[in-house]
Amino acid sequence: MVEYYIPKWEEIEEGILNMTERMLSEDFIPDVIVAILTGGVIPAKLMSDVLGIKNMRYIDVKFYKGVGNRESKPIVRAVYVDNIENKKVLVIDDVSDTGETLDFVGNVIAMFNPSLVRTATIFVKPWSRKYPDYYYKVVDKWIIFPWDKWEVVRENTEAPVDKKERFLEILKRLRKTG
Ligand code: 5GP
Ligand code: MG
Ligand code: MG
């Protein structure tokens, strides 16, 4: 049985504000935010609104196939990055597990010659070989975010999330019509 950690929206907000406060206390204000698709998009949007930074970029990279199930190599689908030369960059994702995604994205970003690159994820796993520069909490379970709960339920219908019955009903109807 997989054990899950299911943060509420309140905890996501707390995490974003907490990381932003620490960035400010270190006088780190990025010029550009790079979101790792797709889990990093909502944290990046929240952070960009808090900081008032409209300058966003995206990297579509994936290691994982599902819960606890990973590809051995990163799959880069697209790099939506330009114009970050000599800029301070903050790379954001929702969680860092092994640290490989952040490592890999850091290397991709470095090719664009930014002046500084820092990383932030709301959560980090205790076994991660490289912690992000900013994180809110260390969690050793599989995290179900408000933004990927249906992705998780698709993989494992036993996942303990609310409104699941309605979602499964929708899935059933989609399978009938598809
Ligand atoms: P890493 O490359 O650090 O091992 O894995 C990071 C990526 O895997 C993140 O972009 C995230 O999408 C996914 N991931 C890793 N652990 C979790 C988790 O506990 N919950 C969810 N929802 N995604 C995770
Ligand atoms: Mg991801
Ligand atoms: Mg994800």
Side-chain angles (χ1 to χ4, degrees):
M1 224 209 77
V2 194
E3 263 194 279
Y4 293 104
Y5 182 81
I6 307 179
K8 300 253 186 289
W9 187 251
E10 170 61 30
E11 186 172 0
I12 301 301
E13 285 191 346
E14 182 58 38
I16 295 292
L17 291 175
N18 180 283
M19 291 192 291
T20 310
E21 283 158 357
R22 275 184 294 125
M23 285 162 49
L24 290 181
S25 65
E26 292 175 8
D27 286 322
F28 174 67
I29 299 174
D31 303 305
V32 183
I33 292 175
V34 177
I36 299 178
L37 298 178
T38 56
V41 168
I42 290 165
K45 159 70 173 156
L46 293 170
M47 184 75 86
S48 86
D49 285 347
V50 173
L51 290 168
I53 293 169
K54 299 272 184 237
N55 222 350
M56 310 259 299
R57 303 288 186 274
Y58 306 89
I59 293 192
D60 194 353
V61 55
K62 200 175 167 70
F63 272 95
Y64 279 82
K65 281 200 117 154
V67 179
N69 205 343
R70 62 184 294 133
E71 296 283 343
S72 53
K73 275 194 280 176
I75 299 166
V76 186
R77 296 206 188 94
V79 179
Y80 306 101
V81 174
D82 67 333
N83 220 2
I84 62 167
E85 210 174 300
N86 298 319
K87 301 234 168 85
K88 287 179 283 177
V89 175
L90 180 69
V91 175
I92 302 198
D93 204 352
D94 46 7
V95 47
S96 181
D97 189 323
T98 60
E100 278 181 66
T101 299
L102 283 185
D103 227 24
F104 181 81
V105 169
N107 290 336
V108 172
I109 297 293
M111 296 193 289
F112 291 84
N113 295 313
S115 64
L116 182 64
V117 180
R118 287 192 182 171
T119 52
T121 64
I122 303 172
F123 298 102
V124 63
K125 304 290 172 74
W127 46 77
S128 187
R129 65 184 161 80
K130 206 180 110 197
Y131 273 41
D133 296 302
Y134 304 98
Y135 62 91
Y136 174 58
K137 209 181 251 185
V138 182
V139 170
D140 65 358
K141 299 185 174 57
W142 189 264
I143 301 161
I144 301 179
F145 292 96
W147 48 83
D148 70 5
K149 62 197 280 187
W150 306 130
E151 189 186 321
V152 175
V153 176
R154 265 171 203 275
E155 290 264 333
N156 173 16
T157 52
E158 302 300 308
V161 307
D162 62 349
K163 302 189 187 73
K164 188 166 73 179
E165 297 317 315
R166 280 171 71 191
F167 171 72
L168 291 177
E169 190 54 40
I170 288 170
L171 261 194
K172 232 195 267 169
R173 287 164 63 182
L174 285 172
R175 281 181 185 145
K176 261 187 219 148
T177 58

